């Protein structure tokens, strides 16, 4: 490469809001459910049906906008975006084009390159489409309207990002904010958060933007990073060859690690936008804005500082724990029960994180309860079980959310603290392992470890290691 | 039966209340007339004889027990076929919905049922309410009961013809650009379009969403007021529904117009208005003047911009509202196609009639990029200006009086060849929809051919009571002339053979027979 290029990236992020019912009707938004069971005349586009706006959707949209430092459009309205597709029951989508609910905000991100603000152009409300399932054997497509009408907000950024790292940081920040607000669970792999990447390249130092492409079907952060790298190279190669980048939408295939064009500029759709006549303009009073603002929760930075002060946690721990609202809430609930913040933190940062990674889960997927973790901590504190046993029991808690107290009782895992019982076993171990005993007596300190291990083995792990060590030393 | 047929809705309900007539008798009177007249008029797309008699039995019980006491309890009514009725086919007189049975009922119809009306069936209309003659229906034309060679008007032609011919005691229609008022005037009956938002649009198959309203078609002003009162309601399922407290419309029926200021727009009396119509309308104004009203002409202005603004807005909204008819979820789907786009194209091309297609294309065009500002946006601004012109007029006048249409009912087959000319016939009615105002038409005379002439009264927003009062007062000055079709019953071979088939084959056979009869008639005559 003779020239140096930089990437210019903007993101369009769709977020499925966690309301109980759809944006324009009272159907349930619950995930799953047999096809076409969460439907009604409105979300299936029956003749004569009319939309009615869900107030909670507006409040979530406002909350996200305020958290992203946007101004709230006090007179906003809805518009129809007209296009034909079977997952779109009315063949128009009710969205907001002319007067979106939030405008002109910004989100601060931090990367290895430092701090930066990614500006937000606008946030608007719209409805989701249904799901199409293509039946390969039957040579037909099936439509499920359960998802039709689920509320979405679309967050459109300015093209302020310059690297994949910045893109990931931006998405993580958005996700954290939205999760903290309870507005959505923002799971890329489940589709409650969808990111479309608009990317162009230009020579370093150039003032003009290059032609951009839009990429879709990016279902994980890794896929996003791969797609960005791939597209950057593809565009640079084109330009280096003297060719032009075509403005188009491309679909990313993560398995094959390449993208292909979906629609070209020639097929560009004219959506014939016009104001939605079945909905009246939305007037948002100052009082309403203030009320939503007042309900804003403590965000990550604040929480982190509070954890450092209140619980005496180091910065690193506080950051990890507050990285997910779910994890932070879990932490606080557990601490309320057992009053041992450092212990809870250790269990979450240690064993929990290890098992999450092993099982390829996210913190939000944790399905054991703070109560059971608190009970486990209490058990170890009283000395009822030792460290090794605790780890075993914890794994059971992690997978099945068992009650550690009754489990330990049933399995007979209590640590043996009875010195007499231990002496007997240890005496036996000493007898059975003359070589190690000799090694120890000859100055090899480490040999005692082997003897402790043998004792633990004989005691089926239920001995108090400290005591074992003590008694061994005594007897030797 | 003839005596029953000639009663108004309120008179019938009163007799039912006093046990002089049973609900079933009222229904049978309508059914008998339908049997006799339908082969010639074709007001109904779907007739539910069995259901009507079942309803009659149930409603009779509720009246007897004192559960139903309203002024319309037990009265048979017909519903325009663009209002959804659960379990009963709702076609909008279109092939694309020929087999569509809605899973729910329109709010206005639910209100009627709550009031104890008996639903006889669904009436014929211009396809998707697009037309002024009921000739664009996919289920055959409806003929004007006053003269079978003439149209009943549109798009609520079936509803108005049914009321005029005594095939029901009142009906519901819909009005987007005059679709209740014009056919009511052509058929010599009374029709009313309320202030936008007064009657819920939930369940009304949308044509021009910002203009559509459901309204009553009845034999006189009192009936209209009663029906309007029954169907008006605040409906949370319709975001454009108003919460009005002044819906006791029957209270406005006072024979008193003293001091009422009535304005007649000079713009409406110019070229294009038939002399007979002009004369009848001005005579009606004089009658009100004699009763103590102040009548004068004034300049409304912007009259010539109403039609283009209306057609741009209505077609734009319609092009989007009708996009849902795609053969995917319900309705007509083409039998053979390869791939999605062909299915869309063929289903819609085969399912829609030419007028519907014309308006969808027009609407898509005015919304398309590059043209949006020049057409749609401009039309919206014109709409606002027209409303302002009316606001200024209503500062001076209580009501505005004028004709409902420039002519009486045209002959069948003469209108569709020149759509533009047909559109221009809406000149007196469309601005009312653009401004969202209430307006009604009632008969004010006959032309030389014996065809009815209609008088239109327009009120300011929420002023239904004023126009009802003026209409009522005017009505008292006239002899009520009933349509000749009402005089005939059971005459002629056609009617007799139909009745026999009906009892042999049931309602389905009746419909098939009727369709065949009409087809052969159209071949032979029109």
């Amino acid at each position: 490469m003779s020239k140096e290029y930089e990437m210019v990236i903007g993101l369009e992020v769709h977020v499925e809001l966690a309301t109980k019912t759809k944006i324009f009707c009272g159907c349930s938004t619950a995930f799953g459910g047999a096809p076409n069971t969460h439907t009604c005349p409105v979300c299936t586009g029956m003749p004569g049906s009319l939309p009615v706006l869900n107030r909670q959707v507006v409040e979530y949209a406002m909350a996200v906008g305020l958290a992203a430092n946007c101004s709230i459009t006090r007179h906003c309205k809805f518009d129809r975006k007209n296009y034909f597709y079977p997952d779109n029951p009315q063949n128009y989508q009710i969205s907001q084009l002319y007067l979106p609910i939030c405008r002109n905000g910004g989100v601060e991100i931090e990367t290895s390159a430092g701090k930066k603000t990614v500006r937000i152009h606008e946030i608007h409300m719209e409805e989701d489409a249904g799901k199409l399932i293509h039946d390969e054997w039957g040579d037909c497509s099936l439509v499920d309207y359960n998802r039709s009408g689920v509320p979405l907000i679309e967050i459109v950024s300015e093209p302020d990002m310059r690297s994949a790292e910045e893109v990931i940081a931006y998405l993580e920040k958005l996700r954290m904010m939205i999760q903290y607000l309870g507005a959505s669970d923002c799971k890329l792999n489940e589709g409650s958060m969808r990111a479309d990447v608009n990317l162009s390249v230009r020579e370093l130092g150039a003032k003009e933007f290059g032609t951009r492409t839009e990429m879709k079907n990016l279902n994980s952060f890794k896929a996003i990073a791969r797609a960005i790298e791939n597209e950057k190279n593809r565009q640079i190669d084109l330009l280096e060859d003297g060719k032009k980048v075509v403005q188009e939408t491309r679909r990313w295939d993560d398995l094959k690690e390449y993208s292909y064009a979906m629609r070209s500029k020639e097929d560009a759709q004219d959506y014939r936008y016009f104001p939605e006549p079945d909905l009246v303009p939305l007037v948002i009073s100052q009082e309403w804005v203030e009320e939503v603002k007042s309900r804003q929760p403590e965000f990550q930075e604040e929480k982190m500082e509070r954890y450092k002060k209140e619980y005496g946690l180091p910065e690193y721990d506080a950051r990890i724990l507050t990285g997910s609202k779910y994890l932070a809430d879990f932490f606080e609930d557990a601490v309320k029960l057992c009053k041992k913040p450092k212990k809870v933190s250790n269990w979450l940062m240690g064993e929990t994180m290890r098992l999450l990674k092993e099982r390829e889960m996210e913190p939000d997927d944790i399905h054991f309860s703070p109560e059971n973790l608190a009970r486990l901590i209490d058990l170890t504190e009283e000395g009822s079980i030792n460290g090794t046993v605790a780890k075993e029991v914890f794994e059971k808690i992690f997978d099945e959310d068992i009650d550690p107290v009754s489990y330990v009782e049933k399995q007979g895992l209590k640590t043996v603290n009875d010195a007499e019982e231990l002496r007997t076993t240890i005496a036996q171990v000493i007898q059975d392992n003359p070589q190690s005993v000799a090694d120890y007596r000859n100055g090899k300190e480490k040999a005692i470890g082997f003897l402790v291990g043998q004792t633990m083995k004989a005691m089926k792990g239920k001995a108090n290691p400290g005591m074992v060590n003590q008694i061994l030393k005594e007897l030797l | 039966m003839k005596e029953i047929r000639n009663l108004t809705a309120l008179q019938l309900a009163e007799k039912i209340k006093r046990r002089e007539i049973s609900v079933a008798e009222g229904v049978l009177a309508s059914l008998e007339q339908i049997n006799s007249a339908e082969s010639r008029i074709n007001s109904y797309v779907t007739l539910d004889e069995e259901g009507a008699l079942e309803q009659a039995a149930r409603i009779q019980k509720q009246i007897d027990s004192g559960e139903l006491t309203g002024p319309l309890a037990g009265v048979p009514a017909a519903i325009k076929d663009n209002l959804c009725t659960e379990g009963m086919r709702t076609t909008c007189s279109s092939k694309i919905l020929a087999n569509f049975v809605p899973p729910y009922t329109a709010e206005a119809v639910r209100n009627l049922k709550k009031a104890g009306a008996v639903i006889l069936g669904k009436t014929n209309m211009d396809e998707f309410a697009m037309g002024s003659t009921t000739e664009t229906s996919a289920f055959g034309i409806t003929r004007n009961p006053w003269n079978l060679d003439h149209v009943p008007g549109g798009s609520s032609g079936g509803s108005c013809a049914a009321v005029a011919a005594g095939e029901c005691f009142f009906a519901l229609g819909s009005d987007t650009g005059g679709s209740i008022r014009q056919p009511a005037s052509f058929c010599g009956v009374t029709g009313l379009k309320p202030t936008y938002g007064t009657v819920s649009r939930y369940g009304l198959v949308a044509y021009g969403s910002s203009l559509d309203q459901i309204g009553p078609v009845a034999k006189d002003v009192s009936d209209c007021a009663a029906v309007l009162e029954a169907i008006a309601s605040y409906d949370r399922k319709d975001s454009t529904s108003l919460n009005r407290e002044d819906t006791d419309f029957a209270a406005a029926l006072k024979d008193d117009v003293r001091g009422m200021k009535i304005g007649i727009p000079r713009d409406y009396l110019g070229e294009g208005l038939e002399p007979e119509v002009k004369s009848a309308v001005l005579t009606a104004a004089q009658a009100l003047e004699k009763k103590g009203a102040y009548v004068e002409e004034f300049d409304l202005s912007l009259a010539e911009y109403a039609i283009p603004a209306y057609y741009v807005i209505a077609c734009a909204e319609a092009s989007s509202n009708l996009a849902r008819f795609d053969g995917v979820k319900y309705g007509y789907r083409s039998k053979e196609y390869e791939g999605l786009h062909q299915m869309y194209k063929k289903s819609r091309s085969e399912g829609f009639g030419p007028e519907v297609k014309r308006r969808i294309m027009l609407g898509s065009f005015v919304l398309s990029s590059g043209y949006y500002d020049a057409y749609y946006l401009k039309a919206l601004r014109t709409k606002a200006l027209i409303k302002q012109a009316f606001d200024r007029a209503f500062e001076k006048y209580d009501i505005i009086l004028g004709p409902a249409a420039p002519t009486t009912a045209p002959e069948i087959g003469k209108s569709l060849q020149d759509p533009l000319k047909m559109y221009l016939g809406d000149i007196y009615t469309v601005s009312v929809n653009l401004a969202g105002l209430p307006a009604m038409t009632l008969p004010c005379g006959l032309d030389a051919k014996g065809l009815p002439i209609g008088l239109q009264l327009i009120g300011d927003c929420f002023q239904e009571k004023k126009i009802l009062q003026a209409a009522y007062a005017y009505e008292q000055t006239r002899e009520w002339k009933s349509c000749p079709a009402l005089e005939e019953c059971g005459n002629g071979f056609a009617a007799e053979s139909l009745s026999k088939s009906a009892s042999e084959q049931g309602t389905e056979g009746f419909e098939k027979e009727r369709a065949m009869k009409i087809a052969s008639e159209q071949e032979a005559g029109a």
Side-chain angles (χ1 to χ4, degrees):
Chain A
M1 243 182 288
S2 44
K3 307 183 198 140
E4 272 203 62
Y5 291 89
E6 73 167 350
M7 286 189 284
V8 174
I9 304 174
L11 249 57
E12 280 162 27
V13 178
H14 287 87
V15 173
E16 252 178 45
L17 294 177
T19 55
K20 286 204 202 80
T21 58
K22 297 184 178 182
I23 186 174
F24 295 123
C25 66
C27 291
S28 163
T29 55
F31 190 73
N36 294 312
T37 51
H38 298 159
T39 56
C40 73
V42 179
C43 54
T44 50
M46 291 261 150
S49 63
L50 294 170
V52 179
L53 183 58
N54 179 338
R55 189 191 173 92
Q56 185 63 60
V57 173
V58 180
E59 296 209 336
Y60 278 151
M62 275 204 276
V64 174
L66 288 168
N69 303 304
C70 297
S71 59
I72 305 294
T73 311
R74 306 281 291 281
H75 274 80
C76 72
K77 64 181 172 60
F78 287 90
D79 305 297
R80 286 194 192 173
K81 180 180 182 183
N82 297 282
Y83 67 94
F84 279 80
Y85 206 57
D87 64 2
N88 186 350
Q90 292 130 302
N91 289 316
Y92 60 82
Q93 180 199 35
I94 301 180
S95 176
Q96 296 185 290
L97 177 74
Y98 297 109
L99 291 174
I101 186 167
C102 309
R103 289 183 285 199
N104 303 327
V107 157
E108 202 184 72
I109 58 168
E110 193 169 346
T111 60
S112 55
K115 283 198 186 166
K116 175 180 187 167
T117 299
V118 175
R119 291 168 303 158
I120 291 188
H121 179 70
E122 53 111 336
I123 302 178
H124 68 258
M125 301 175 277
E126 60 184 29
E127 53 177 347
D128 208 349
K131 240 189 212 140
L132 279 177
I133 299 156
H134 303 288
D135 182 357
E136 292 160 43
W137 300 112
D139 192 27
C140 71
S141 299
L142 307 162
V143 197
D144 175 10
Y145 291 115
N146 282 357
R147 200 183 65 178
S148 159
V150 164
L152 298 175
I153 47 170
E154 183 174 341
I155 305 169
V156 183
S157 81
E158 299 284 5
D160 287 349
M161 289 162 274
R162 299 283 176 271
S163 68
E165 197 193 348
E166 286 185 0
V167 168
I168 306 294
Y170 172 74
L171 286 170
E172 281 181 341
K173 184 73 184 278
L174 278 185
R175 183 169 70 169
M176 188 274 299
M177 258 168 42
I178 295 171
Q179 281 181 344
Y180 264 74
L181 289 166
S184 171
D185 57 14
C186 281
K187 291 192 177 165
L188 269 172
N189 59 348
E190 269 181 26
S192 53
M193 184 175 190
R194 298 165 224 166
D196 295 339
V197 172
N198 292 307
L199 188 151
S200 66
V201 297
R202 63 181 178 185
E203 280 184 53
L204 208 51
K207 293 276 184 287
E208 304 266 314
F209 286 146
T211 310
R212 64 160 200 256
T213 59
E214 182 186 18
M215 276 193 296
K216 287 182 177 287
N217 194 38
L218 305 162
N219 298 325
S220 66
F221 285 159
K222 292 225 166 67
I224 291 172
R226 282 194 277 268
I228 288 174
E229 185 65 26
N230 181 283
E231 182 61 11
K232 174 187 81 170
N233 292 335
R234 189 190 73 85
Q235 288 194 14
I236 290 174
D237 284 345
L238 279 175
L239 295 174
E240 293 275 292
D241 278 350
K243 300 203 195 104
K244 288 217 168 106
V245 174
V246 176
Q247 184 180 331
E248 62 196 356
T249 303
R250 301 180 70 84
R251 193 167 202 273
W252 176 251
D253 185 326
D254 205 37
L255 284 174
K256 300 196 184 129
E257 288 197 30
Y258 88 119
S259 68
Y260 57 91
M262 285 170 75
R263 302 190 280 266
S264 77
K265 196 177 179 193
E266 287 80 50
D267 301 338
Q269 289 254 35
D270 177 4
Y271 294 112
R272 300 192 303 282
Y273 279 99
F274 72 102
E276 169 59 75
D278 291 328
L279 291 171
V280 293
L282 185 58
V283 177
I284 299 173
S285 66
Q286 188 58 34
E287 287 79 41
W288 198 7
V289 176
E290 293 301 320
E291 201 208 330
V292 173
K293 221 185 220 166
S294 73
R295 281 191 253 130
Q296 289 228 327
E298 180 190 46
F299 282 113
Q300 187 183 25
E301 284 76 30
E302 273 180 74
K303 212 186 264 291
M304 239 176 30
E305 293 306 307
R306 181 166 68 81
Y307 281 16
K308 279 151 72 177
K309 271 206 205 89
E310 208 177 301
Y311 303 117
L313 293 177
E315 163 114 7
Y316 180 75
D317 294 25
R319 183 179 292 280
I320 304 269
L321 289 173
T322 57
S324 147
K325 170 129 201 298
Y326 188 80
L327 197 59
D329 286 345
F330 189 99
F331 169 76
E332 292 186 44
D333 287 341
V335 168
K336 266 197 209 103
L337 291 167
C338 71
K339 319 255 191 299
K340 295 183 177 58
K342 288 236 172 64
K343 294 276 174 197
V344 177
S345 170
N346 286 343
W347 275 105
L348 290 176
M349 308 254 318
E351 283 302 293
T352 309
M353 284 298 165
R354 179 182 72 81
L355 286 168
L356 283 174
K357 199 166 181 188
E358 211 176 279
R359 309 233 191 305
E360 289 190 357
M361 290 160 64
E362 295 276 310
D364 300 358
D365 300 323
I366 290 174
H367 47 247
F368 63 92
S369 60
E371 286 81 17
N372 285 331
L373 176 61
R375 285 189 191 119
L376 182 71
I377 290 173
D378 285 338
L379 282 175
T380 55
E381 284 297 288
E382 2 166 294
S384 297
I385 53 173
N386 64 34
T388 322
V389 171
K391 281 199 181 141
E392 273 175 43
V393 176
F394 177 73
E395 197 158 334
K396 274 271 179 230
I397 294 176
F398 185 94
D399 286 330
E400 295 163 46
D401 197 25
I402 50 138
D403 173 3
V405 176
S406 48
Y407 182 79
V408 162
E409 204 57 58
K410 251 203 264 176
Q411 305 287 331
L413 296 172
K414 278 213 165 124
T415 305
V416 178
N417 291 320
D418 183 348
E420 287 313 311
E421 205 187 320
L422 280 176
R423 263 178 219 282
T424 329
T425 315
I426 287 170
Q428 187 64 42
V429 167
I430 291 177
Q431 236 191 356
D432 294 339
N433 296 284
Q435 186 58 45
S436 300
V437 173
D439 287 344
Y440 178 73
R441 287 201 174 123
N442 288 340
K444 233 191 192 175
E445 287 283 338
K446 291 209 181 115
I448 204 169
F450 180 75
L451 293 167
V452 171
Q454 289 299 94
T455 312
M456 294 298 281
K457 201 166 152 193
M459 293 298 300
K460 295 203 177 46
K462 288 182 289 185
N464 183 328
M467 249 193 190
V468 169
N469 211 308
Q470 201 185 7
I471 298 173
L472 262 175
K473 285 204 177 122
E474 237 185 79
L475 293 181
L476 289 172
Chain B
M1 286 299 168
K2 184 168 152 190
E3 304 76 47
I4 299 178
R5 248 190 2 251
N6 287 342
L7 295 169
T8 67
L10 290 178
Q11 285 168 350
L12 174 64
E14 185 59 37
K15 287 194 188 275
I16 289 174
K17 211 181 219 168
R18 287 195 253 120
R19 306 283 187 277
E20 287 169 33
I21 304 178
S22 72
V23 178
E25 280 177 289
V27 171
L28 285 169
S30 294
L31 291 178
E32 190 188 55
Q33 181 65 354
I34 289 169
N35 262 322
S36 149
E38 262 301 273
S39 60
R40 281 160 291 155
I41 296 176
N42 191 37
S43 318
Y44 284 87
V45 173
T46 302
L47 184 66
D48 185 17
E49 289 185 0
E50 225 178 273
L53 291 166
E54 270 171 33
Q55 287 173 59
R58 194 178 16 95
I59 288 168
Q60 184 70 63
K61 280 206 197 98
Q62 290 175 303
I63 293 174
D64 292 339
S65 71
E67 214 182 301
L68 277 174
T69 55
L72 294 171
V75 180
I79 310 292
K80 186 175 181 181
D81 211 8
N82 59 357
L83 283 153
C84 285
T85 41
E86 185 179 343
M88 204 192 304
R89 191 170 69 141
T90 300
T91 69
C92 301
S93 287
S94 176
K95 188 174 167 187
I96 218 170
L97 285 180
N99 64 353
F100 176 66
V101 180
Y104 72 103
T105 298
E107 190 72 2
V109 180
R110 285 181 70 199
N111 288 342
L112 267 191
K113 287 184 156 191
K114 266 192 241 161
V118 179
I119 310 299
L120 293 170
K122 313 298 288 301
T123 56
N124 202 16
M125 49 186 281
D126 278 302
E127 191 182 355
F128 284 109
M130 298 179 184
S132 313
T133 60
T134 310
E135 286 172 305
T136 67
S137 165
F139 292 84
I141 59 171
T142 298
R143 291 169 187 274
N144 192 320
W146 291 79
N147 186 326
L148 297 176
D149 294 327
H150 288 249
V151 299
S155 60
S156 308
S159 284
C160 293
V163 174
E167 288 178 304
C168 65
F169 286 83
F170 70 89
L172 289 189
S174 72
D175 191 312
T176 307
S179 288
I180 288 176
R181 292 164 285 149
Q182 183 250 49
S185 100
F186 284 178
C187 290
V189 293
T190 306
L192 189 151
K193 177 199 95 67
T195 307
Y196 185 80
T198 300
V199 178
S200 167
R201 288 185 300 117
Y202 189 77
L204 170 67
V205 182
Y207 159 27
S209 314
S210 67
L211 309 164
D212 293 339
Q213 267 293 282
I214 299 163
V217 177
K219 296 183 185 183
D220 66 9
V221 178
S222 306
D223 278 4
C224 258
V227 177
L228 183 60
E229 210 172 305
I231 61 175
S233 66
Y234 170 53
D235 184 7
R236 297 186 60 185
K237 298 188 299 294
D238 173 359
S239 300
T240 60
S241 173
L242 293 169
N243 194 356
R244 290 181 66 171
E245 287 172 356
D246 59 341
T247 56
D248 54 337
F249 301 112
L253 302 171
K254 291 183 279 223
D255 184 6
D256 181 7
V257 289
R258 285 169 300 171
M260 206 181 246
K261 295 197 226 72
I262 301 177
I264 306 180
R266 235 171 252 129
D267 331 53
Y268 286 4
L269 302 177
E271 211 185 294
L273 179 59
E274 289 262 325
E276 283 181 293
V277 176
K278 182 173 179 177
S279 159
V281 166
L282 291 177
T283 307
Q286 278 169 11
L288 285 168
E289 206 171 23
K290 280 202 201 97
K291 284 197 146 184
Y294 298 112
V295 179
E296 71 179 30
E297 291 183 15
F298 74 103
D299 291 312
L300 181 57
S301 89
L302 298 174
E304 73 259 41
Y305 298 112
I307 301 255
Y310 165 78
Y311 274 97
V312 167
I313 293 171
C315 293
E317 292 176 3
S319 72
S320 178
N321 286 329
L322 268 64
R324 67 190 64 199
F325 304 111
D326 55 7
V328 172
K329 314 163 284 287
Y330 48 77
Y332 176 81
R333 187 193 287 188
S334 184
K335 297 285 179 294
E336 284 175 35
Y337 54 87
E338 273 176 46
L340 181 67
H341 287 283
Q342 223 185 69
M343 188 207 76
Y344 281 149
K345 269 192 188 161
K346 288 185 93 183
S347 302
R348 288 164 67 82
S349 299
E350 290 161 17
F352 286 139
E355 185 60 30
V356 170
K357 287 185 203 164
R358 179 176 294 123
R359 297 198 192 191
I360 291 175
M361 287 195 281
L362 223 158
S364 306
F365 175 76
V366 302
L367 289 178
S368 63
S369 110
Y371 296 103
Y372 178 87
D373 286 356
Y375 292 102
Y376 187 71
L377 202 50
K378 211 169 230 173
L380 286 181
R381 294 195 177 126
T382 309
K383 181 176 190 254
L385 289 174
I386 288 173
K387 172 71 165 65
Q388 281 173 28
F390 274 109
D391 287 343
R392 282 193 298 273
F394 285 115
E395 274 166 28
K396 275 188 90 181
Y397 304 106
D398 292 302
I399 60 172
I400 291 173
L401 180 153
T407 65
T408 54
E411 277 177 65
I412 289 171
K414 293 283 158 60
S415 311
L416 293 183
Q417 301 117 330
D418 192 346
L420 215 49
K421 181 163 177 238
M422 187 174 71
Y423 295 169
L424 289 168
D426 294 334
I427 183 146
Y428 306 127
T429 47
V430 291
S431 37
V432 170
N433 300 79
L434 289 169
L437 304 171
M440 65 184 294
T441 55
L442 64 161
C444 67
L446 297 175
D447 73 358
K449 271 177 134 180
L451 289 166
I453 298 170
L455 174 74
Q456 183 179 206
L457 299 172
I458 306 169
D460 199 2
C461 281
F462 312 118
Q463 297 304 320
E464 284 84 352
K465 284 185 182 164
K466 270 198 192 149
I467 56 177
L468 282 167
Q469 189 167 329
Y472 184 76
Y474 171 69
E475 193 183 56
Q476 305 315 305
T477 70
R478 288 198 69 238
E479 260 299 310
W480 186 60
K481 179 134 175 71
S482 66
C483 167
L486 277 176
E487 309 305 313
E488 300 161 36
C489 180
N491 294 337
F493 168 75
E496 256 177 11
S497 66
L498 259 168
S499 301
K500 227 193 265 167
S501 308
S503 54
E504 274 169 10
Q505 297 165 49
T507 320
E508 220 188 327
F510 172 94
E511 275 166 22
K512 255 195 236 161
E513 274 264 11
R514 177 160 50 95
M516 277 160 48
K517 282 268 172 330
I518 289 162
S520 60
E521 265 182 322
Q522 278 179 324
E523 261 175 54

